[in-house]
């Protein structure tokens, strides 16, 4: 089954309905899954595509929810058959030859995983067991099924992970993987927005939503002093007239995953960071990095060399307040970039 993509880069109804079922499977919401399966079957999703999706998801949501979802599917099919509805089974299930060749499963799974991660091999040396399971079983055995394309498999996975809490690193990886496997970034964002708007996922995992509740603003005009992409939005307090002179300057800064500013120093002012979404880092020269989480406040004295930005697998957003000290003219001194070793 190949992807159905319109000139507007939109997803097909079949893809959205399939992903709605995946989202509810992940939540364990069997009550809502029943009508969702019926809508999916009426909307062009085949029986074997649903079986493939639910069986694949055991690797992400566990066997209990996978088996429960398959149980609901079985009951729905029996009920519809009793009503005289002949559902489309889809392509007949054929046992993949790969299942009988462990060496080939490992080889092919490694190739699939490498493509999914953008062409860079991923080796989880910390735990060789999981490294083998991922390569040989998940991306080998499971991906060997031919009911779903690799592009649709990743959409199903993104839909499921967007409905789980505490899996943000995996969600970010699979959103990128969904693009690497044949979808567009716009389609992935469309899926996340659709799931949220229609009450399937718990959160909107689109790019703008990941950035946080505050508007991203424009591409940061100081981007030459950042590693990665950032955005800047000026903020004016409600009780301050436009153009009025104040002792503080307020801005919202949004960092894409892995983005951070260069080492820098504020002269004549201290900076207050109010963390509002995502996860980030702050570090002063000669000190260990401090993890930044929503609700934390960092007060940076003037003349202190420092940097701040997003963690590798998370968007990050903070409000920045530059408060004049009256000790001289306020200025920023931009210094050297922060090494990638911060993520090692």
């Amino acid at each position: 089954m190949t992807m159905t993509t319109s000139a507007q880069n939109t997803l097909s109804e079949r893809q959205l309905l399939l992903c709605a079922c995946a989202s509810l499977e992940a939540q364990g919401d069997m009550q809502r899954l029943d009508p969702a399966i019926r809508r999916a079957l009426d909307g062009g999703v085949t029986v074997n595509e649903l079986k493939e999706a639910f069986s694949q998801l055991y690797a992400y949501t566990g066997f209990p929810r996978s088996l429960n979802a398959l149980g609901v599917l079985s009951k729905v099919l029996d009920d519809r058959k009793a009503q005289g509805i002949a559902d489309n089974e889809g392509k007949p299930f054929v046992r993949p030859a790969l299942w009988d060749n462990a060496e080939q499963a490992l080889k092919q799974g490694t190739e699939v995983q490498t493509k999914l991660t953008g062409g860079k091999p991923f080796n989880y040396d910390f735990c060789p067991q999981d490294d083998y399971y991922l390569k040989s079983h998940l991306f080998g055995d499971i991906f060997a099924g031919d009911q779903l394309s690799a592009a649709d498999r990743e959409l199903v996975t993104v839909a499921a992970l967007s409905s789980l809490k505490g899996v943000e690193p995996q969600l970010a990886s699979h959103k990128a993987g969904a693009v690497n496997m044949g979808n567009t970034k716009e389609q992935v964002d469309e899926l996340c927005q659709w799931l949220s708007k229609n009450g399937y996922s718990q959160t909107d995992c689109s790019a703008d939503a990941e950035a946080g509740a505050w508007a991203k603003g424009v591409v940061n005009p100081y981007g030459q002093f950042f590693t990665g992409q950032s955005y800047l939005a000026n903020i004016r307090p409600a009780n301050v007239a436009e153009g009025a002179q104040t002792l503080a300057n307020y801005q919202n800064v949004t960092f894409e995953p892995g983005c951070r500013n260069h080492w820098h120093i504020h002269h004549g002012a201290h900076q207050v960071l109010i963390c509002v979404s995502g996860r980030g880092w702050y570090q002063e020269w000669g000190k260990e990095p401090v993890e930044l989480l929503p609700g934390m406040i960092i007060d940076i004295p003037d003349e202190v060399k420092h940097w701040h930005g997003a963690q590798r697998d998370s968007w990050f957003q903070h409000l920045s307040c530059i408060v004049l000290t009256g000790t001289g003219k306020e200025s920023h001194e931009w210094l050297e970039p922060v090494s990638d070793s911060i993520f090692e």
Side-chain angles (χ1 to χ4, degrees), residues 156-174:
V156 164
T157 301
V158 168
L161 293 177
S162 71
S163 302
L164 299 174
K165 293 183 177 180
V167 295
E168 288 80 9
Q170 290 78 19
L171 175 58
S173 295
H174 280 281

Side-chain angles (χ1 to χ4, degrees), residues 41-62:
L41 292 169
D42 291 335
V45 181
T46 70
V47 173
N48 285 337
E49 286 174 338
L50 285 167
K51 289 181 179 179
E52 184 76 11
F54 292 153
S55 61
Q56 169 188 317
L57 288 179
Y58 100 81
Y60 299 96
T61 66

Side-chain angles (χ1 to χ4, degrees), residues 5-301:
T5 307
S6 73
Q8 288 75 37
N9 262 345
T10 57
L11 298 173
S12 68
E13 180 185 15
R14 169 194 152 273
Q15 290 170 311
L16 293 173
L17 294 175
L18 177 65
C19 289
C21 292
S23 178
L24 294 172
E25 186 274 355
Q27 296 178 50
D29 191 341
M30 299 300 105
Q31 183 175 0
R32 294 178 64 202
L33 182 60
D34 181 301
I37 288 176
R38 296 174 190 270
R39 287 192 294 271
L41 292 169
D42 291 335
V45 181
T46 70
V47 173
N48 285 337
E49 286 174 338
L50 285 167
K51 289 181 179 179
E52 184 76 11
F54 292 153
S55 61
Q56 169 188 317
L57 288 179
Y58 100 81
Y60 299 96
T61 66
F63 261 128
R65 292 189 175 183
S66 172
L67 292 171
N68 287 346
L70 287 167
V72 173
L73 173 60
S74 178
K75 292 178 180 179
V76 167
L77 293 174
D78 287 343
D79 180 57
R80 287 166 67 90
K81 184 177 181 180
Q83 298 176 43
I85 301 174
D87 287 307
N88 182 6
E89 291 286 332
K91 292 190 294 185
F93 171 76
V94 177
R95 177 186 172 88
L98 198 69
W99 290 2
D100 299 316
N101 189 331
E103 182 178 352
Q104 184 61 26
L106 178 60
K107 179 178 182 297
Q108 185 168 314
T110 301
E111 293 173 355
V112 170
Q113 185 190 50
T114 300
K115 180 179 180 181
L116 190 146
T117 56
K120 184 178 180 180
F122 176 82
N123 296 306
Y124 195 46
D125 296 329
F126 175 73
C127 184
Q129 299 97 314
D130 271 14
D131 188 57
Y132 177 79
Y133 301 154
L134 287 168
K135 289 181 169 66
S136 183
H137 182 52
L138 176 53
F139 299 118
D141 291 335
I142 293 179
F143 269 61
D146 65 354
Q147 298 295 331
L148 296 173
S149 68
D152 281 355
R153 283 186 182 280
E154 281 303 298
L155 292 178
V156 164
T157 301
V158 168
L161 293 177
S162 71
S163 302
L164 299 174
K165 293 183 177 180
V167 295
E168 288 80 9
Q170 290 78 19
L171 175 58
S173 295
H174 280 281
K175 285 183 64 181
V179 175
N180 293 334
M181 300 307 273
N183 302 288
T184 66
K185 183 177 182 296
E186 291 75 16
Q187 288 172 324
V188 176
D189 281 342
E190 177 196 354
L191 170 63
C192 294
Q193 292 166 358
W194 185 86
L195 290 170
S196 176
K197 180 180 178 180
N198 288 277
Y200 290 111
S201 64
Q202 297 182 22
T203 58
D204 180 353
C205 65
S206 63
D208 285 345
E210 283 184 303
W214 293 73
K216 289 196 306 183
V218 300
V219 172
N220 196 335
Y222 298 96
Q224 70 268 35
F225 303 119
F226 285 66
T227 299
Q229 185 64 61
S230 62
Y231 305 86
L232 192 65
N234 290 320
I235 299 173
R236 178 167 57 89
N239 63 331
V240 175
E242 186 173 358
Q245 296 296 314
T246 64
L247 295 177
N249 175 35
Y250 305 88
Q251 293 178 318
N252 172 51
V253 186
T254 301
F255 303 80
E256 290 192 356
C259 175
R260 66 272 189 191
N261 49 35
H262 295 184
W263 289 99
H264 60 284
I265 300 173
H266 297 286
H267 302 296
H270 69 100
Q271 183 180 28
V272 178
L273 306 180
I274 303 173
C275 308
V276 293
S277 66
R279 303 188 315 280
W281 293 112
Y282 166 74
Q283 184 178 21
E284 295 182 3
W285 186 258
K287 298 183 179 180
E288 290 297 314
V290 175
E291 183 176 24
L292 300 181
L293 298 172
M296 294 180 63
I297 298 177
I298 300 291
D299 194 339
I300 307 168

